[in-house]
Amino acid sequence: MARPEMEGEWIEGWPDRKKARIMPSKDDQGRTIFARAPVLELGGLTTPTDASYIIAQLNMADPIHPDDYDFQVTGLVEKPLVFNFEEIQQLPSVTVRTTMECAGDDGEYFRWQKDGGPKPSRLKVQEEQGGWNQMAGEEDGDDGAANIDEIFDAIPTTCLVSGGEWTGVRLKDVLELAGVKPEATHVHLVGYDEGRPDPTPIYLSTGRTDIEIEDPGVINYDKALDLEKALDPDTILAWAQNGEYLRHVHGAPLRVIVPGWSGNWSVKWLKEIELLDYEKPCYYQTQYFVLGEGPDDPNKVPCKELGVKSIITNPIDEDSPLKVGTHRICGYAWSGLGAITRVEVSTDDGESWQDAYVEPSSDRWLWRRWSFKWDVHEKGNYVIKARATDEEGRTQPQTPWNFQMKHFDGIVPVDVEVV
Ligand SMILES: Nc1nc2c(c(=O)[nH]1)N[C@H]1C(S)=C(S)[C@@H](COP(=O)(O)O)O[C@H]1N2
Ligand SMILES: [Mo]
């Protein structure tokens, strides 16, 4: 029997099976500068590069040909160095598989947990083009204060997470060649991209447009990484992602990968590494990617390692109603401090929990897949929850509400009716 859905381009996947693709947002020149990953549609651990999320905070750097590329190592080093692409590739290479999650991933759920209202859906697709860089324009007639409801409507913050395989060299090896002076404490990582930070993402995460934000003017994207994390053998300068050379949007020719810490540490389009004896107050370190109770909280701290988290990819609210019978509850779990050791599932809104099966893996930083066979005999309404624990014994959630709504690792229930 001819099955029409099996005709066509079978190398690219059966046409009846929707190919998992990013959910993009474009700039005014039609270039993708922001994209969410189709996390609910993925079938393994490595997010295909076509489907990996993308974030550019400033104006995306111009593409740099590998032959024209170099970066420098400066500051508190014995010997300042300049590396070109070939010189970097001559160092011993290393491959690290890790989950990368944007600090703002699922931030909407913080808002929902606090304020109630309809539960944000991971399926929500951004209709508007433009991303946040176009949202804060003069359209509303005032000083760039975008309408917060428009922003939330236009830019979902879910699905900003991907699993990937990164190949490059250890940052540690590069630092050793330059010779780090004993007084150095931080590694200032600077990208080739420049711009003046747009306040809209802060409005987006706080849900407020009346916040005083210190304007740093035009800057390069930069971070001041703790020397200790920089020397971790899994912190690398990567030139390849998922088996192919880096793509421009992901930071080609060379980017930093800092496993376990939220994506903003993984500086793309690396331009400079500067050794410092203090924590430089980079905009995306001390103003934007921070955990605290409010913009003036004296105890606010930079976002660093992620908490411990699980998401349910099946079923989702939109699958309701389900039939009485057997269903597979499954998803991903990851942690900023190492491997996931346990995932528990509840189908009674957290009254009772049972262990899920966690797929074995030797990759410490990569998310794990987990599943749970659910036999449901009684009709009714069910609230499904998942709860992950990591090798440090941390159970979700770890991250309390914070004004920037970063590092959300709370438990998001799935509501289904069984008929
Ligand atoms: N130079 C530079 N590096 C950057 C950014 C940026 O805007 N410029 N965005 C950061 C943020 S917020 C995240 S979440 C990750 C996203 O990496 P990806 O676009 O490859 O997924 O890159 C980080 N590195
Ligand atoms: Mo991010």
Side-chain angles (χ1 to χ4, degrees):
M1 190 178 67
R3 297 172 69 97
E5 68 272 25
M6 290 179 109
E7 287 165 9
E9 180 51 284
W10 53 271
I11 294 172
E12 290 283 311
W14 297 114
D16 66 325
R17 184 159 297 165
K18 201 167 121 222
K19 203 174 173 192
R21 288 187 195 281
I22 49 171
M23 299 171 263
S25 159
K26 300 183 179 178
D27 69 6
D28 50 12
Q29 292 169 59
R31 305 175 302 190
T32 298
I33 49 167
F34 175 88
R36 293 156 62 231
V39 181
L40 304 176
E41 295 167 31
L42 300 174
L45 293 175
T46 303
T47 309
T49 309
D50 278 341
S52 292
Y53 83 92
I54 300 165
I55 303 272
Q57 302 286 350
L58 301 170
N59 304 321
M60 208 175 263
D62 284 334
I64 308 166
H65 194 283
D67 293 348
D68 302 328
Y69 174 76
D70 63 29
F71 73 92
Q72 40 174 334
V73 187
T74 63
L76 297 169
V77 289
E78 303 299 341
K79 195 168 51 150
L81 294 171
V82 177
F83 286 90
N84 63 30
F85 195 60
E86 211 179 301
E87 287 160 344
I88 269 297
Q89 289 204 300
Q90 279 162 4
L91 299 178
S93 63
V94 58
T95 293
V96 176
R97 282 175 282 273
T98 184
T99 301
M100 191 189 294
E101 184 181 24
C102 180
D105 183 32
D106 287 342
E108 285 169 75
Y109 291 113
F110 268 132
R111 196 171 71 126
W112 172 72
Q113 284 185 339
K114 193 159 175 274
D115 303 338
K119 187 180 358 164
S121 165
R122 291 199 162 86
L123 283 185
K124 193 162 92 181
V125 173
Q126 181 180 340
E127 308 268 334
E128 299 272 320
Q129 292 210 327
W132 57 55
N133 294 317
Q134 271 68 48
M135 294 298 295
E138 264 89 77
E139 264 175 43
D140 292 286
D142 52 12
D143 56 348
N147 175 320
I148 202 69
D149 293 321
E150 273 170 28
I151 295 174
F152 273 115
D153 262 6
I155 308 174
T157 64
T158 58
C159 299
L160 297 175
V161 58
S162 299
E165 178 184 282
W166 303 91
T167 301
V169 300
R170 293 193 166 112
L171 175 52
K172 176 175 172 282
D173 290 352
V174 169
L175 295 180
E176 270 166 20
L177 286 174
V180 176
K181 291 194 173 165
E183 60 270 31
T185 57
H186 287 81
V187 182
H188 184 215
L189 304 163
V190 185
Y192 270 100
D193 51 334
E194 295 182 338
R196 187 170 163 202
D198 182 332
T200 309
I202 295 191
Y203 304 152
L204 182 62
S205 43
T206 54
R208 284 168 52 187
T209 53
D210 61 342
I211 291 170
E212 286 282 334
I213 300 163
E214 225 174 280
D215 180 359
V218 175
I219 55 169
N220 287 85
Y221 185 86
D222 63 341
K223 297 288 292 189
L225 180 65
D226 295 356
L227 181 61
E228 193 190 345
K229 186 66 175 173
L231 295 177
D232 187 301
D234 291 331
T235 298
I236 66 170
L237 306 181
W239 64 73
Q241 174 180 10
N242 300 333
E244 60 178 9
Y245 282 100
L246 274 188
R247 298 192 188 171
H248 177 53
V249 288
H250 293 295
L254 195 71
R255 76 173 301 173
V256 186
I257 293 292
V258 183
W261 291 24
S262 44
N264 55 86
W265 292 96
S266 294
V267 174
K268 305 196 275 190
W269 311 292
L270 181 66
K271 178 179 194 254
E272 187 179 348
I273 298 175
E274 182 191 15
L275 277 293
L276 300 174
D277 60 2
Y278 68 102
E279 180 180 350
K280 195 174 172 147
C282 307
Y283 177 86
Y284 289 103
Q285 182 139 345
T286 55
Q287 292 212 69
Y288 186 54
F289 290 114
V290 291
L291 301 174
E293 285 175 8
D296 309 319
D297 181 349
N299 299 319
K300 71 179 181 204
V301 292
C303 298
K304 292 184 177 175
E305 74 276 351
L306 293 164
V308 52
K309 183 161 173 180
S310 60
I311 58 171
I312 300 171
T313 56
N314 187 70
I316 56 174
D317 291 8
E318 290 81 353
D319 293 329
S320 185
L322 295 176
K323 292 232 161 68
V324 166
T326 300
H327 297 281
R328 191 169 69 115
I329 301 172
C330 64
Y332 290 102
W334 65 97
S335 158
L337 280 185
I340 290 295
T341 49
R342 184 179 193 191
V343 178
E344 296 156 283
V345 168
S346 170
T347 54
D348 55 11
D349 199 8
E351 289 280 307
S352 63
W353 295 87
Q354 280 172 279
D355 276 298
Y357 165 77
V358 182
E359 194 178 296
S361 162
S362 53
D363 284 307
R364 182 172 174 215
W365 301 112
L366 195 58
W367 50 14
R368 290 199 177 176
R369 299 181 67 87
W370 56 267
S371 60
F372 180 82
K373 189 168 159 244
W374 182 33
D375 294 312
V376 54
H377 304 297
E378 274 177 48
K379 296 178 181 176
N381 292 312
Y382 290 84
V383 180
I384 304 171
K385 290 180 170 174
R387 177 169 79 184
T389 302
D390 69 14
E391 63 182 346
E392 299 287 327
R394 303 187 309 164
T395 294
Q396 70 181 119
Q398 287 289 312
T399 314
W401 180 90
N402 59 86
F403 80 103
Q404 278 284 79
M405 301 206 277
K406 300 303 180 197
H407 286 204
F408 178 85
D409 64 354
I411 293 172
V412 178
V414 171
D415 298 294
V416 290
E417 190 191 354
V418 173
V419 295

